[in-house]
Amino acid sequence: MLTPIILSGGAGTRLWPVSREAHPKPFMRIGGGKCLLLQTFERAQAVAPQRSPLIVTNREYHLRSRDELPAKGTLPHYLLEPAGRNTAPAIALAALWAQQEDPDACLLVMPADHLITNVAAFRDAAVQAEALARDGFLVLFGIRPTAPETGYGYVEMGDPVRQQAQAHAVKAFHEKPDAATAAGYLAQGNFVWNSGIFCFRADVILQALETWQPPLMQAARSVWEAAGTSGDKTELPEAFEQLDNISIDYAVMEKAQNIAVVPGDFGWSDMGAWSAVADTVPADADGNNTNRPDAILIDTRHTYIDSKDRLVAAIGLDNILIVDTPDALLVADRAKSQEVKQVVSQLKARNHEAHKIHRTAVRPWGTYTVLGEGQGFKIKRVVVKPGHSLSLQMHHHRSEHWVVVFGTASITVGETTRLMTQNQSTYIAIGERHRLANPGITDLVLIEVQCGSYLGEDDIVRFSDVYGRA
Amino acid sequence: MLTPIILSGGAGTRLWPVSREAHPKPFMRIGGGKCLLLQTFERAQAVAPQRSPLIVTNREYHLRSRDELPAKGTLPHYLLEPAGRNTAPAIALAALWAQQEDPDACLLVMPADHLITNVAAFRDAAVQAEALARDGFLVLFGIRPTAPETGYGYVEMGDPVRQQAQAHAVKAFHEKPDAATAAGYLAQGNFVWNSGIFCFRADVILQALETWQPPLMQAARSVWEAAGTSGDKTELPEAFEQLDNISIDYAVMEKAQNIAVVPGDFGWSDMGAWSAVADTVPADADGNNTNRPDAILIDTRHTYIDSKDRLVAAIGLDNILIVDTPDALLVADRAKSQEVKQVVSQLKARNHEAHKIHRTAVRPWGTYTVLGEGQGFKIKRVVVKPGHSLSLQMHHHRSEHWVVVFGTASITVGETTRLMTQNQSTYIAIGERHRLANPGITDLVLIEVQCGSYLGEDDIVRFSDVYGRA
């Protein structure tokens, strides 16, 4: 049985404004309502039922990831990085973890932010890959190209590695090509896209890393010695940040000889930019695709419209992407969707918060949305999930007026706790200890009006917290 | 002295989503912060100081218009229509009103929704026009074309009507031309745009209407007999709606012989579409113009971005208009900005409220903005102007939680009135009589959380109202 390793690292800056630092690509709901991380988890279960996948992710995303995945059945284990260091260090640590669980572990490494529409075909490819991996190959999943894509790396396949398997040796790796080169690759027929999905035995990849990246592997082993496991998580120490920031492709795959490519055709997309996302949404006769049934399209073709809150009207557009969120709007030529990352760079350079956070923030207990603010006040809609509870807290600079508008709240102010329901309100003075909880079985929705001289999120003193944030 | 007649009727459907039925074009702030109605009022004062202009508008817009104009100095009089019937009926009634005030009245008729940047040049043209009008001419202001515009009607000028004046007889009126024809007009040199600005003696235009539109004029006289004046307004009876829906151009100007054209060059634009609005905003080196200093423009040219609340990023756009409002977004090819009216037609056909109202509604006492809503609740930010007061009212289906977040409120609940200031709150139960007023000298800002089974604006019983709405 394969051990699924899910690399949940991609920020997805090219999917701004929906992706943000606090809402990276694996949490985006693309292709049918489920987030990409959950889709990847379910794919892992389809390939290796009842096997607990390892999710390698930033420690900041641990609770959020747990939240997005099922709370019952096979639960994943988390390997938590203090910072992203690309795929080679992540895979090295994942292999050390897997080998400890099972000395014969064979890994199926999958990025958490890809879309695969034909899971049965993917499972078939994984079966082939495992057979090769068990025999000592480092297996790479190749995707048969359907268009002269310039956004992917290509693998040029050589001879079959076995008579019976649809697997090939690697002749060469090729960087992202220009359009003419990509057309040539497509025409030749023995080129596939490098999917970033791999299969290998833990001992084989560790040996390969030892051979080709000895300093990295040495550092990885000492990081692993210092890692601490409790419950569903293994936390990597700060020293992890000293590891080389290098991909497994550069570190091993482009150097080793025991490589096999399994070419596949399972409806794969890396969702690398809005143009790729748009291609996954069914289009009308004019090539337009939108999630808004009320969008008004006049004389418009090949245009993608993604908006949750706003009515959108388009006139005379051709090949345009419109992605609208509560605080930021992107309008781009479909052919230039790669350049969205430049927007994020500019926002970072300006220290504009629109690259980091959404107007709706996700917390372990639920969400809050800033509805409005002005001089000395801020209004939030707070949604608390059933059975969840905010920390017992206090603010130095603001008082809060709470009105319950849906569900039932358990509200602690000072030493008193009482239940409040729809159409009831209370007041939390500056300096008063308070806690908000939802003891019920429906969501609790509460409107909070803050008044004060300073209204930043960092004006919070936590006395106790069920999520370990106190 | 001329009598300014301001026709404040234009809905401006081609300026959706900023213009709406409840926020028509004369109230739009274009070209420097002041609304077009106020700019027109100030232009009237520049031409005819201390002369009280007549504003012809829908009765729905009376209080709102008064609100947009100065409260001191020369005040306008209002001629209130129950429904729009185009310019001929409006001018007929305006002339009857002016003649009653002054039998020798000479009218300067100006649409309220045009932009004129060179007011001194306009005043000079008006002086010429008045001299001709006093001599019995029906004077039309022509605009020397600066481009082969296809969005305007053209007037072909004939011989000068006087040796000394820059005024011409009319050779022909021409409908909006196609591009080739417009280029020909521009080359010939004796064609001007029909501005919709006119000057004539009240008795002369009434005589002309009598001659060319006898049934209309007869009906207009009987409507005038039934009109009632009180304070600053003359209200036209419902019978006004039976008048022919016809423009003064068709009704008189294209038929009469005593027409003179005064060609002018005073920075005129009819602001007829977003492309015209965009042309009034200074552009950067790439031809982009925006009201957002934080807009991110990558590889983008000749693009107009208008957004109040949202960060906007544009990539690879050329000649695109982006107009963003809290509930609706327009993205259009600049060359197709006339087609915005089709969007409004489609919204009307669907009965979508985005053609009628904005998320912020303007009331005589201030504004309210819907910040959010959900099952059984709605949140509003209410701003009350100093010295203003909402009606004494009651709701059958909702209770209200009020939190004052800025300024001071005088709040009446039942028989009790008390002052409340920032960080204080109160509760209005279903069925309780209440009134909100701002006795202070700064704005009052209040957050209202409504809870109830029905939250429509029509759940209101008004007991008394200082704006006559009870």
Side-chain angles (χ1 to χ4, degrees), chain A residues 220-234:
Chain A
R221 286 196 191 278
S222 68
V223 162
W224 178 244
E225 294 303 319
T229 297
S230 73
D232 69 351
K233 63 178 195 275
T234 299

Side-chain angles (χ1 to χ4, degrees), chain A residues 16 292-299 301 309-317 320 322 324-333 336-337 339-344 346-347 350 352 354 359 371-377 379 381 399-401 403-406 422-425 427 445 447 449-452, chain B residues 16 292-299 301 309-317 320 322 324-333 336-337 339-344 346-347 350 352 354 359 371-377 379 381 399-401 403-406 422-425 427 445 447 449-452:
Chain A
W16 183 90
R292 287 209 66 102
D294 66 349
I296 295 183
L297 303 169
I298 295 173
D299 196 12
R301 285 171 303 279
D309 297 324
R310 229 171 312 284
L311 173 74
V312 180
I315 302 174
L317 304 185
I320 298 288
I322 300 173
D324 177 56
T325 67
D327 62 342
L329 167 69
L330 170 72
V331 183
D333 180 351
K336 296 194 170 148
S337 59
E339 294 177 31
V340 173
K341 64 177 177 230
Q342 287 184 38
V343 174
V344 177
Q346 289 195 27
L347 289 172
R350 287 186 207 170
H352 195 298
R359 201 164 285 177
L371 298 178
E373 50 197 313
Q375 196 191 321
F377 68 94
I379 304 117
R381 175 174 41 214
S399 49
E400 295 176 344
H401 300 257
V403 182
V404 177
V405 293
F406 191 83
Q422 191 176 17
N423 199 24
Q424 294 188 309
S425 67
Y427 172 71
V445 185
I447 305 304
V449 180
Q450 305 178 350
C451 293
Chain B
W16 183 90
R292 288 208 66 103
D294 66 350
I296 295 183
L297 303 169
I298 294 174
D299 195 11
R301 285 169 305 278
D309 298 324
R310 227 170 314 282
L311 173 73
V312 180
I315 302 175
L317 304 186
I320 298 288
I322 300 173
D324 177 57
T325 68
D327 61 342
L329 167 68
L330 170 72
V331 182
D333 180 350
K336 296 194 170 150
S337 60
E339 294 177 30
V340 172
K341 64 178 177 228
Q342 288 184 36
V343 174
V344 176
Q346 289 196 26
L347 289 172
R350 288 187 207 167
H352 194 298
R359 202 165 285 178
L371 298 178
E373 50 198 313
Q375 194 190 324
F377 67 95
I379 304 117
R381 175 172 43 215
S399 49
E400 295 175 345
H401 299 257
V403 182
V404 177
V405 293
F406 191 83
Q422 191 175 16
N423 200 25
Q424 295 188 308
S425 67
Y427 173 71
V445 185
I447 306 303
V449 181
Q450 305 177 350
C451 293

Side-chain angles (χ1 to χ4, degrees), chain A residues 146-311:
Chain A
T146 50
E149 275 290 337
T150 58
Y152 298 138
Y154 283 71
V155 181
E156 186 178 356
M157 299 188 297
D159 296 329
V161 293
R162 281 182 176 178
Q163 215 53 34
Q164 72 277 31
Q166 293 286 348
H168 295 258
V170 171
K171 210 158 159 187
F173 285 86
H174 298 276
E175 299 278 339
K176 293 176 185 178
D178 59 27
T181 310
Y185 291 168
L186 184 61
Q188 287 183 62
N190 64 324
F191 285 73
V192 289
W193 295 330
N194 183 345
S195 70
I197 305 172
F198 304 102
C199 186
F200 28 63
R201 287 206 326 250
D203 60 341
V204 173
I205 189 68
L206 289 170
Q207 183 54 53
L209 283 159
E210 208 84 70
T211 304
W212 302 105
Q213 307 293 336
L216 169 66
M217 202 52 229
Q218 195 183 339
R221 286 196 191 278
S222 68
V223 162
W224 178 244
E225 294 303 319
T229 297
S230 73
D232 69 351
K233 63 178 195 275
T234 299
E235 289 203 77
L236 298 175
E238 304 296 332
F240 179 80
E241 294 186 44
Q242 307 306 318
L243 267 60
D244 294 331
N245 192 336
I246 184 173
S247 73
I248 195 72
D249 301 82
Y250 285 110
V252 170
M253 305 302 281
E254 298 187 12
K255 298 185 169 64
Q257 296 304 309
N258 55 331
I259 308 288
V261 181
V262 172
D265 196 359
F266 33 78
W268 172 89
S269 166
D270 77 343
M271 301 276 113
W274 282 113
S275 54
V277 175
D279 288 342
T280 69
V281 181
D284 68 11
D286 294 320
N288 299 310
N289 32 28
T290 176
N291 66 345
R292 287 209 66 102
D294 66 349
I296 295 183
L297 303 169
I298 295 173
D299 196 12
T300 289
R301 285 171 303 279
H302 309 298
T303 289
Y304 173 73
I305 298 175
D306 184 329
S307 178
K308 224 178 98 188
D309 297 324
R310 229 171 312 284
L311 173 74

Side-chain angles (χ1 to χ4, degrees), chain A residues 119-132:
Chain A
V119 174
F122 176 69
R123 196 178 45 211
D124 291 347
V127 169
Q128 280 187 46
E130 181 175 8
L132 291 157

Side-chain angles (χ1 to χ4, degrees), chain B residues 404 407-412 416-422 424-426 437-440:
Chain B
V404 177
T408 298
S410 165
I411 292 180
T412 303
T416 312
T417 298
R418 66 192 178 96
L419 289 184
M420 266 173 48
T421 187
Q422 191 175 16
Q424 295 188 308
S425 67
T426 194
N438 178 359

Side-chain angles (χ1 to χ4, degrees), chain B residues 118-156:
Chain B
N118 188 342
V119 174
F122 176 69
R123 196 176 47 210
D124 292 347
V127 168
Q128 280 187 47
E130 181 173 8
L132 290 157
R134 292 279 175 206
D135 285 354
F137 283 100
L138 299 167
V139 183
L140 182 155
F141 289 64
I143 309 294
R144 289 188 216 283
T146 51
E149 276 290 338
T150 56
Y152 298 138
Y154 284 70
V155 181
E156 186 178 357

